[in-house]
Amino acid sequence: MLKEDELKKGPNLYTPFLGTTTGSWRLLRPVLDRARCNNCLACWLFCPEGCFEREERAVTLNLDFCKGCGICVAECPRQALALVEEGSDDARLLER
Amino acid sequence: MRAYLNGNEAVATAVRLARAEVVAAYPITPQSTIVEKIAEYIADGSMAADYIRVESEHAALAACYGAAVTGTRVFTATSSQGLAYMFEMLHYVSGCRVPLVMAVTNRGLAAPWTIWADHQDAIACRDTGWIQLYVETAQEALDTCLQAYKIAAHPEVLTPVMVCLDGYVLSHTEEIVDVPDQEAVDVFLPPYRPEYAVDPARPIVFGIGAGPELYPAFKHYQHQAMLRAREIIEDVDREFAALFGRSYGGLVDPYYCDGAEVVLVLMGATAGTAREVVDDLRRRGEQVGLLRLRSFRPFPVAALRSVLAGTKVVAVLDRDCSFGYEGVLATEIKAALQGANVPGTPEVAGFTGGLGGSDIRPEDLAGIFRRCLEAVRRRDRGESPAVSGGCSENGKAEGINLWLS
């Protein structure tokens, strides 16, 4: 929670302020097949919410702000990303 | 220096003296000559400001908002349809606590299309979170613009200010205006140095997204700041008076209200006419007064109660209408007095008139006072005191241009 003197100056905060996540608005979830990823970073470049982290061998996802727009899936040249419906059997299988 | 200025030129002069650094506006009658004059100042080198040309009023306020958060003193002006077009951005600016100053040259709203004065445009923006100050003269327009920069940027206020002046009646009517010296204004208004501003070295997000757990807290403090502005407006008016020798009463401007049986409450330039009518009626022994409301938001409840508590009838003249109810100011005055919870609360009679530039003549105001004084006499005789409808002395305009709401 913010302090009173921060609240008094208005909703203007130094970055990174990530107090309100929007991932729960998502209906579709991108899932990554790490075996197919060659770390080309197209997804990292195109994601409008900055959900992809650069790592040594393959990207990783932080879905706190992912709205499931599917841009990463469309841009991935190796079909390493796919969308699954949240709450579907596919999603549940992936969660195991 | 004394100069012969109309209201719009007085505003432009104030903006030059305030050393505004960025101006963005879209032309709209009867505001246009404010920013045309500012453009002249910039062109002839007497004002060092960037003038951003934009495609609409929405863009004008968006540009000013962007410029202001970089830590510059900013100005814009609009009117009527232009103000309506800004509506979305009005909330962004006030919500982000950006201390902008904007002149609103009051004009009625279409339809029917009109370019002439009433207060419907600004009144319709009552709940946008902007401070609204209504002025009576070109001199007050100049002085209030200077005060507005000080009020808006006060660290406990951080709220934008609309300086509202009646279209044509003030905007295009010349009067002798005392133009303060630049040196004195510089003392009153030091350079704008906000506590924080956009700085690439330390990124900041203006207007974050806030969920239900956070949103109300920002709105709570925005409201608190607006309430606090009541004291700041008075302080700034006093400070201005000490430096420049002119005061406007801060929130309210009472005229012969002490011991008055009937007080007329209104905003804007009509007060000039009302003062003459009050003088005339006072000479004839009638206990009448005028209360010019200067600050519509924040609404000066305590100041209004203390002035109006001892009166018998309060007449309110609105240059606006909340269709299906009554004049907005009438509702607000009633609410303020109701909350006072004192015995003998005066009757409030709301009149709506002067819409779309229709004249409010001395005889119209005299008619309002006469109706209210008749009600006082009935009250004194123990009869029902209700103020009756119709208020034009010659009966010509009765019920059409001016009505009991």
Side-chain angles (χ1 to χ4, degrees), chain B residues 76-122:
Chain B
T76 187
T78 192
S79 181
S80 183
Q81 312 301 129
L83 184 61
Y85 199 13
M86 276 183 185
F87 191 73
E88 182 193 13
M89 288 309 301
L90 294 176
H91 296 264
Y92 263 102
V93 169
S94 63
C96 286
R97 312 293 298 279
V98 178
L100 272 176
V101 172
M102 170 162 68
V104 175
T105 304
N106 292 118
R107 156 184 160 183
L109 282 163
W113 177 87
T114 178
I115 56 170
W116 291 281
D118 69 34
H119 295 159
Q120 194 77 25
D121 53 356

Side-chain angles (χ1 to χ4, degrees), chain B residues 129-328:
Chain B
W130 283 59
I131 292 169
Q132 288 194 0
L133 304 176
Y134 289 75
V135 304
E136 180 182 346
T137 61
Q139 180 75 64
E140 191 186 355
L142 190 157
D143 294 346
T144 302
C145 283
L146 296 177
Q147 293 186 4
Y149 278 107
K150 190 127 187 156
I151 295 161
H154 189 285
E156 291 174 60
V157 177
L158 293 179
T159 296
V161 180
M162 287 183 202
V163 177
C164 303
L165 62 157
D166 289 355
Y168 294 106
V169 180
L170 287 184
S171 67
H172 287 64
T173 307
E174 277 74 21
E175 64 181 59
I176 295 169
V177 174
D178 183 51
V179 178
D181 294 336
Q182 183 67 62
E183 295 70 33
V185 175
D186 289 342
V187 170
F188 179 72
L189 265 186
Y192 175 51
R193 293 282 178 268
E195 196 176 323
Y196 58 160
V198 168
D199 176 5
R202 201 180 169 196
I204 185 169
V205 178
F206 274 75
I208 58 160
E213 74 289 353
L214 201 50
Y215 184 91
F218 284 114
K219 289 300 159 187
H220 170 80
Y221 286 111
Q222 188 183 346
H223 181 48
Q224 293 300 314
M226 185 67 114
L227 294 175
R228 175 76 177 116
R230 294 185 295 204
E231 282 106 32
I232 306 300
I233 291 167
E234 291 190 319
D235 290 349
V236 168
D237 190 59
R238 274 191 290 269
E239 189 185 336
F240 188 89
L243 273 168
F244 300 100
R246 288 184 295 276
S247 167
Y248 300 96
L251 302 164
V252 295
D253 180 15
Y255 186 67
Y256 285 110
C257 288
D258 286 345
E261 293 181 313
V262 176
V263 168
L264 173 64
V265 181
L266 49 71
M267 302 194 294
T270 316
T273 311
R275 286 177 204 276
E276 302 243 333
V277 174
V278 167
D279 289 347
D280 185 52
L281 288 170
R282 282 268 168 184
R283 275 194 292 273
R284 296 195 228 167
E286 300 289 3
Q287 301 300 304
V288 297
L290 165 73
L291 181 59
R292 182 175 70 92
L293 184 67
R294 188 162 177 255
S295 173
F296 178 62
R297 280 295 179 276
F299 198 67
V301 178
L304 286 165
R305 282 179 188 166
S306 72
V307 176
L308 299 176
T311 59
K312 292 176 177 168
V313 173
V314 175
V316 182
L317 178 58
D318 272 280
R319 290 195 88 164
D320 60 84
C321 181
S322 177
F323 302 101
Y325 193 18
E326 62 182 353
V328 170

Side-chain angles (χ1 to χ4, degrees), chain A residues 38-57:
Chain A
N38 69 348
N39 225 3
C40 75
L41 299 182
C43 54
W44 173 82
L45 190 63
F46 282 99
C47 174
E49 296 289 355
C51 297
F52 288 88
E53 298 287 338
R54 287 182 291 179
E55 306 283 353
E56 204 165 310
R57 300 222 3 241

Side-chain angles (χ1 to χ4, degrees), chain A residues 1-17 19-21, chain B residues 95-97 195-196 202-211 213-214 217-218 221:
Chain A
M1 193 58 189
L2 298 167
K3 294 189 210 77
E4 185 176 331
D5 64 324
E6 290 175 304
L7 292 164
K8 279 183 169 176
K9 288 179 229 160
N12 315 315
L13 300 167
Y14 289 108
T15 55
F17 174 77
T20 304
T21 58
Chain B
C96 286
R97 312 293 298 279
E195 196 176 323
Y196 58 160
R202 201 180 169 196
I204 185 169
V205 178
F206 274 75
I208 58 160
E213 74 289 353
L214 201 50
F218 284 114
Y221 286 111

